[in-house]
């Protein structure tokens, strides 16, 4: 299935909206869960990068929840402007129809972003994991 140019451009735009400064604090805040997650998959011989992506996909947590909610609010407002309905009904409908897709898309974009920054991210995560083991 071919991805059209508009989708590629949208992906690029959204990748640059990821809060780069929130990534290490995200993993620091979830370090115990991350360590347990990695230990449970030790026999799978996966790279740290793959384990980080699996962790993100499993827990489905945005790096920066405030930014995630702001983007989601923007999507809701755009939808409301297109459909002049009762605001409460429209927000409820949007959440039912789109919130899961929006979160899944954000999680996938975060995983793609990890690929972009892996050279500087992985040493920092390895240092975090080693520091906590001591």
């Amino acid at each position: 299935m071919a991805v059209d140019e508009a989708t590629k451009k949208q992906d690029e735009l959204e990748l640059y909206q990821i809060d780069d400064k929130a990534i290490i604090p995200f993993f620091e805040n979830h370090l115990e869960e991350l360590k347990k997650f990695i230990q449970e998959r030790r026999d799978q011989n996966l790279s740290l990068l793959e384990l980080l992506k699996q962790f993100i996909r499993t827990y489905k947590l945005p790096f920066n929840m405030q930014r995630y909610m702001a983007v989601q609010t923007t999507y809701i407002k755009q939808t409301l402007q297109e459909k002049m309905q009762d605001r409460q009904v429209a927000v409820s409908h949007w959440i039912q129809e789109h919130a899961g897709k929006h979160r899944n898309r954000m999680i996938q974009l975060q995983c793609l972003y990890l690929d972009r920054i892996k050279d500087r991210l992985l040493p920092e995560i390895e240092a975090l994991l080693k520091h906590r083991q001591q």
Side-chain angles (χ1 to χ4, degrees), residues 52-92:
L52 294 176
K53 289 179 188 179
Q54 280 188 8
F55 180 80
I56 291 168
R57 288 181 183 122
T58 299
Y59 287 92
K60 294 187 177 187
L61 295 170
F63 293 139
N64 181 332
M65 184 59 85
Q66 287 178 314
R67 183 176 237 166
Y68 169 79
M69 294 303 291
V71 170
Q72 184 168 305
T73 299
T74 300
Y75 283 125
I76 290 171
K77 285 178 183 176
Q78 288 172 351
T79 301
L80 289 177
Q81 288 173 356
E82 293 168 8
K83 300 176 183 177
M84 297 306 276
Q85 301 173 358
D86 175 49
R87 183 173 178 80
Q88 191 171 16
V89 171
V91 170
S92 175

Side-chain angles (χ1 to χ4, degrees), residues 5-39:
E5 286 301 311
T7 301
K8 285 182 183 178
K9 287 179 182 176
Q10 184 66 28
D11 285 351
E12 285 295 314
L13 178 64
E14 289 179 357
L15 280 173
Y16 286 110
Q17 292 178 3
I18 291 176
D19 184 2
D20 200 37
K21 292 180 178 112
I23 297 172
I24 294 298
F26 168 84
F27 287 114
E28 285 175 336
N29 291 335
H30 299 284
L31 194 55
E32 293 306 315
E33 296 114 313
L34 179 60
K35 284 172 47 182
K36 182 179 177 189
F37 187 87
I38 290 171
Q39 285 182 335

